[in-house]
Amino acid sequence: MKNATLLLLLTFCQTIFATNTATLKANAPYVNSVQLLRLDYTAPNGAIRELALGFTSDNVASDGLDYGYDASVIEPYTNDLNWLIEDNRYVIQGVGAFDDTKQYLFGLYNEFSGDATIELSSTQNFDTIINVFIYDALLNTYTQINDSPYTVTIDAQDYTDRFYIAFSQPETTDSNDTVDSLDISGDNDNTIDPSIITPKGQLKVRYIKGLNQLKISSQNKAVIQQITVYNYNGSTIESKQNINNKKTSIYVNTTDKNLILHIKTDTETIIKQVVIGSI
């Protein structure tokens, strides 16, 4: 979308903001009280989209659909990033007062594999600097974009429940720790119970480059029964059943460097992120 088009949408949206509250704030330009955040998205094919998120200090808008505060996508594109509100696509979203505990969902639509980038373009009318993050719900990671853009390698598919904008993050963990929020249990019908996730250090994982193998061994008395290897998009790379041993290996001939292991033992379920080349 061209700059002029976004500017027109922003002006339109801000004008409606001002009109809707003119009777209450006749002596104060309402547009100046709207806190705005602008983002630039670049798709793997080079397509560019500009998005805006507006916070209304008196909560005249909500997290849901608000007529006059949300600007829908007029012409949906196959390579695009939009706000998702009630499963519909928007280029401008108006919400209530700024709350750093809230997150807002993106819909990322993509027909090409490659790198996608989300960049913080500007903020307006905030009294203090706010932290802005991209939350990846698949990897359970937060990446701050205040000073540098967020770049992710994606497949040619649509992502409607993975990426969010966020303004705070929980305590971070080592990237090789187990992941307790990712459901990669075969058919994805059952969510992993965090109470059965094994703490870091219960498994030893080594990668044998010449053989394209992961060697996995239990560091306690647990017997490994099943292993499934996924990439970060949730696609299955390899699976091995009926192992029944404390040590095993699994073939992983893939160009993906970041993998997720789903390991079932006789006592527990283990989910672990690994990076090929660092193990």
Side-chain angles (χ1 to χ4, degrees):
M1 180 180 291
K2 300 294 186 181
N3 288 344
T5 307
L6 181 70
L7 219 54
L8 180 62
L9 282 169
L10 285 172
T11 303
F12 172 74
C13 217
Q14 290 178 332
T15 300
I16 293 177
F17 288 170
T19 302
N20 287 347
T21 58
T23 57
L24 298 177
K25 299 186 177 181
N27 297 324
Y30 182 68
V31 66
N32 291 331
S33 70
V34 176
Q35 297 170 313
L36 285 173
L37 180 149
R38 296 183 177 88
L39 300 169
D40 292 333
Y41 170 71
T42 304
N45 70 333
I48 296 174
R49 165 68 77 186
E50 295 170 306
L51 298 176
L53 181 63
F55 300 93
T56 58
S57 58
D58 52 1
N59 292 309
V60 292
S62 70
D63 292 350
L65 180 60
D66 300 292
Y67 178 76
Y69 295 90
D70 305 313
S72 63
V73 173
I74 298 174
E75 182 180 355
Y77 294 107
T78 53
N79 298 280
D80 209 350
L81 183 74
N82 308 128
W83 304 113
L84 280 185
I85 309 173
E86 299 177 5
D87 296 325
N88 294 313
R89 298 163 63 172
Y90 293 80
V91 292
I92 299 176
Q93 181 174 190
V95 296
F98 177 74
D99 181 345
D100 66 4
T101 66
K102 289 191 174 183
Q103 300 178 353
Y104 299 96
L105 176 64
F106 291 113
L108 193 159
Y109 304 90
N110 183 48
E111 60 178 354
F112 296 97
S113 298
D115 290 343
T117 301
I118 303 174
E119 183 175 4
L120 177 63
S121 173
S122 66
T123 59
Q124 179 180 332
N125 296 331
F126 289 92
D127 295 331
T128 60
I129 296 175
I130 63 169
N131 295 318
V132 184
F133 302 87
I134 300 300
Y135 171 56
D136 184 332
L138 178 63
L139 304 182
N140 194 31
T141 58
Y142 290 79
T143 304
Q144 190 166 4
I145 60 172
N146 289 70
D147 300 319
S148 59
Y150 170 78
T151 301
V152 61
T153 301
I154 53 177
D155 287 339
Q157 65 183 70
D158 296 340
Y159 301 86
T160 56
D161 58 0
R162 176 174 176 179
F163 299 105
Y164 297 75
I165 193 166
F167 308 98
S168 61
Q169 65 173 337
E171 290 186 14
T172 57
T173 59
D174 188 290
S175 62
N176 285 327
D177 282 356
T178 54
V179 182
D180 62 7
S181 64
L182 176 60
D183 175 16
I184 47 177
S185 53
D187 59 6
N188 285 329
D189 288 336
N190 300 313
T191 301
I192 297 298
D193 182 352
S195 66
I196 62 175
I197 300 299
T198 298
K200 182 180 179 182
Q202 297 301 307
L203 287 175
K204 183 177 181 181
V205 181
R206 294 174 55 230
Y207 178 64
I208 311 301
K209 184 175 181 181
L211 300 177
N212 293 325
Q213 283 185 345
L214 286 172
K215 289 191 174 293
I216 303 161
S217 60
S218 172
Q219 299 299 288
N220 54 25
K221 295 181 180 180
V223 176
I224 301 170
Q225 295 180 335
Q226 175 183 330
I227 298 174
T228 307
V229 183
Y230 300 83
N231 65 17
Y232 272 22
N233 292 323
S235 300
T236 301
I237 302 298
E238 191 61 59
S239 182
K240 189 174 183 178
Q241 314 290 326
N242 302 317
I243 299 169
N244 297 320
N245 203 315
K246 289 185 64 177
K247 296 182 180 180
T248 188
S249 62
I250 187 167
Y251 184 65
V252 285
N253 187 17
T254 176
T255 57
D256 289 296
K257 300 300 181 183
N258 300 294
L259 302 176
I260 300 171
L261 308 184
H262 182 195
I263 302 166
K264 290 184 178 180
T265 75
D266 58 340
T267 60
E268 56 206 347
T269 298
I270 303 168
I271 301 176
K272 187 175 182 65
Q273 297 183 41
V274 297
V275 180
I276 298 298
S278 67
I279 57 175

